[in-house]
Amino acid sequence: QVQLVESGGGLVQPGGSLRLSCAASGSIFRIYIMGWYRQVPGKQRELVSSISSGGSTNYADSVKGRFIISRDNGKNTVYLQMNSLKPEDTAVYYCNLNTGRLDYWGKGTLVTVSS
């Protein structure tokens, strides 16, 4: 069973930065695509960024140029560096691991961008 534990969320002012971390249990983390999603009440959970086992990255247009996803396979951890944060980035951010058959989710970490 895979467990994903996010950390790093909190309150930040517009223009500020946060780094989210997601630590995964298990020994097969390195072979799967990892992603960060976010969700606000009443809206669909959306993909923010993903990173393949080999380090290939994808970003939503809304965050491209501001956010950077990375992974440390040795630590079974994926990161989301969020820069130049905007109020519209406010959401619960979820870590995702997809095996090709199943999705595993963390419980989420709240990011609030506000003055």
Side-chain angles (χ1 to χ4, degrees):
Q1 189 78 12
V2 174
Q3 277 98 36
L4 305 174
V5 180
E6 304 101 330
S7 62
L11 175 64
V12 64
Q13 293 193 122
S17 297
L18 286 173
R19 188 173 78 157
L20 306 183
S21 299
C22 173
S25 65
S27 61
I28 58 172
F29 165 90
R30 68 188 185 280
I31 72 173
Y32 297 122
I33 293 175
M34 300 289 295
W36 286 98
Y37 291 70
R38 66 187 182 188
Q39 188 171 31
V40 298
K43 295 185 178 179
Q44 182 181 356
R45 187 173 297 187
E46 66 174 356
L47 176 66
V48 176
S49 184
S50 65
I51 184 166
S52 74
S53 60
S56 179
T57 60
N58 289 283
Y59 297 93
D61 288 343
S62 59
V63 307
K64 193 171 185 178
R66 299 188 296 121
F67 291 9
I68 302 170
I69 191 170
S70 61
R71 67 192 294 164
D72 185 336
N73 289 337
K75 295 182 178 180
N76 282 8
T77 301
V78 63
Y79 305 94
L80 186 68
Q81 177 67 45
M82 305 186 295
N83 302 313
S84 301
L85 283 160
K86 304 174 180 179
E88 51 263 45
D89 295 318
T90 296
V92 177
Y93 284 71
Y94 296 91
C95 181
N96 169 265
L97 182 153
N98 184 266
T99 69
R101 300 199 318 113
L102 296 172
D103 281 296
Y104 294 89
W105 297 94
K107 73 175 185 177
T109 185
L110 177 63
V111 172
T112 302
V113 185
S114 176
S115 299

